Amino acid sequence: MTAKSLILKFKVMNINLLDRLKRAGDLSISVKPIYKNDNNEILLKNFLTKQKFLNSNEIFEILKINFDEDQPIGYILMKDKNVVGFLGTIFSKRPIKEKIIDHCYLHSWVVFERYRLAAFKLILPIIKKNIFISTYSPIKSLMGLYKKLGFEEAQFFSKFIPSLFFLRWKTNDLNCSDDISFFEKFLSNKDRIVLKDHNFTNTQKLFIYFNKNTHDNVFMIVKKKTKKLVIPILELIYISDFKKFKSYEKKIGFELLKKYKPILFKFNSIDKSDTFSNKYFFTKIVKKNVYYLNRPLDFKFDILYSELV
């Protein structure tokens, strides 16, 4: 059997599974979309607040991330006018290579235990859209369901590096700016879209250029966090040019250290060797799972357009 026929067979199996799921379960349980500031959002907030095992305020903060206002911020599972489950969504139109791709990131899948068999209904409206779907580090109980629904499983790595390694790399051939009005005109079309989409997020945008040449540059999105309330971490969320970053990583590291004063740098990558070199002592690498459906061929891993920004 050829690779093409295997893929076709898999897709047919997946369609048959979805068809069985649609017809299965309690027909009195329905799914409704949630839009910003509608009645269903009020129902959702009441539902989440009552779940003592959840950090509801954390989910409320994630719900503020909305890249496509025409799409729902999630779906609720209803039984007799009561909310019994929820799946959070972050829809976006994200640039990948030269195309704009419809994308949905999934988060916060919560369903009452007695209705777990109907949990799949929450994801069906999203799968029916036939768009790129992703989710990072879901709980173990959901991993099997994602695989059954045809999601591709992969791993990504979070690398933590002490910032002290960059203390002695001061340079005069590198300039940094966080003035968007200055550097936006020097960005590529893709990076302008990324910048515009992430302007409302709690992140910092940084433009680094070399030898006073603004066309020789790296655009970065970073976020300063505090681990266990005491350890400042600078997370490198987006880097426009990995190859160039690698060439100047020590000098860029020094500038980031000087500007943001973190104790640790953090970067997420599908490859352990991406970004900062592996030669630094005390580097810690944490492996996590990621699940994709309909992943575009040109997609390269990053955590943009997700709850992690």
Side-chain angles (χ1 to χ4, degrees):
M1 185 177 291
T2 65
K4 185 175 181 180
S5 60
L6 279 171
I7 292 171
L8 180 61
K9 181 179 179 182
F10 176 77
K11 287 184 175 179
V12 170
M13 290 171 61
N14 192 35
I15 291 170
N16 290 339
L17 173 62
L18 291 176
D19 186 56
R20 290 199 303 272
L21 287 174
K22 289 175 188 175
R23 291 185 278 106
D26 188 341
L27 297 179
S28 67
I29 298 177
S30 62
V31 174
K32 294 184 178 180
I34 312 159
Y35 291 90
K36 207 71 180 170
N37 301 319
D38 71 359
N39 290 334
N40 286 339
E41 186 179 15
I42 297 172
L43 292 175
L44 169 66
K45 288 186 175 181
N46 290 336
F47 166 74
L48 292 176
T49 302
K50 292 176 183 177
Q51 313 312 312
K52 302 303 180 184
F53 64 94
L54 286 177
N55 184 341
S56 57
N57 288 329
E58 188 175 281
I59 298 178
F60 295 154
E61 285 301 309
I62 297 172
L63 291 173
K64 294 178 183 178
I65 305 172
N66 186 11
F67 296 101
D68 189 344
E69 294 181 355
D70 294 329
Q71 294 289 351
I73 58 173
Y75 293 84
I76 47 176
L77 199 64
M78 302 289 294
K79 170 70 174 177
D80 299 328
K81 297 183 179 181
N82 295 312
V83 179
V84 297
F86 162 67
L87 174 60
T89 57
I90 299 175
F91 283 92
S92 62
K93 295 182 181 296
R94 58 176 302 168
I96 298 176
K97 283 287 187 180
E98 302 300 321
K99 298 179 181 178
I100 301 297
I101 303 294
D102 288 320
H103 173 245
C104 180
Y105 177 82
L106 307 177
H107 68 89
S108 311
W109 199 335
V110 183
V111 180
F112 283 158
E113 188 171 356
R114 64 181 296 186
Y115 298 106
R116 293 279 168 81
L117 290 176
F120 67 87
K121 291 188 176 185
L122 285 164
I123 199 173
L124 292 182
I126 308 163
I127 292 178
K128 283 172 62 177
K129 293 177 182 288
N130 195 32
I131 62 174
F132 176 31
I133 305 172
S134 65
T135 185
Y136 302 151
S137 298
I139 59 175
K140 288 185 178 181
S141 59
L142 289 173
M143 292 179 180
L145 178 58
Y146 281 126
K147 290 179 182 178
K148 288 178 181 177
L149 291 172
F151 279 71
E152 165 195 357
E153 182 184 59
Q155 282 76 43
F156 73 98
F157 303 91
S158 293
K159 183 186 289 188
F160 296 85
I161 299 173
S163 62
L164 60 88
F165 292 115
F166 304 93
L167 275 173
R168 58 189 181 90
W169 292 98
K170 185 176 180 179
T171 178
N172 294 319
D173 61 353
L174 183 152
N175 296 93
C176 295
S177 174
D178 55 10
D179 182 357
I180 293 174
S181 64
F182 162 69
F183 69 71
E184 184 174 8
K185 58 181 172 289
F186 302 117
L187 300 180
S188 67
N189 290 335
K190 175 189 174 183
D191 288 339
R192 283 187 195 137
I193 295 172
V194 170
L195 171 63
K196 180 181 177 182
D197 287 345
H198 289 79
N199 256 344
F200 76 94
T201 61
N202 185 27
T203 57
Q204 292 74 48
K205 292 78 182 176
L206 193 65
F207 181 75
I208 300 172
Y209 56 104
F210 310 98
N211 301 308
K212 298 183 179 180
N213 179 4
T214 51
H215 297 285
D216 184 15
N217 64 69
V218 174
F219 169 58
M220 299 178 65
I221 296 179
V222 300
K223 186 172 186 177
K224 193 169 182 180
K225 301 179 177 181
T226 303
K227 187 178 179 66
K228 296 181 180 179
L229 303 179
V230 293
I231 304 175
I233 297 174
L234 189 70
E235 184 167 13
L236 281 55
I237 290 174
Y238 176 70
I239 298 171
S240 63
D241 190 326
F242 283 105
K243 187 176 180 180
K244 194 170 293 183
F245 182 95
K246 292 284 279 188
S247 298
Y248 291 92
E249 71 171 55
K250 292 175 182 176
K251 295 179 180 180
I252 293 175
F254 174 81
E255 291 297 324
L256 294 174
L257 173 59
K258 182 174 70 173
K259 187 173 184 63
Y260 299 108
K261 299 176 176 57
I263 291 177
L264 295 173
F265 288 119
K266 177 184 178 183
F267 183 72
N268 305 290
S269 171
I270 209 78
D271 186 339
K272 288 182 183 180
S273 63
D274 271 354
T275 315
F276 291 119
S277 303
N278 292 322
K279 60 187 176 184
Y280 302 112
F281 295 112
F282 308 114
T283 296
K284 181 179 180 181
I285 298 177
V286 179
K287 185 172 74 171
K288 301 176 182 178
N289 283 351
V290 56
Y291 291 84
Y292 298 122
L293 189 66
N294 304 321
R295 180 167 65 100
L297 291 176
D298 293 325
F299 174 72
K300 292 185 178 180
F301 175 85
D302 60 52
I303 61 171
L304 295 173
Y305 301 94
S306 76
E307 67 178 290
L308 303 180
V309 297

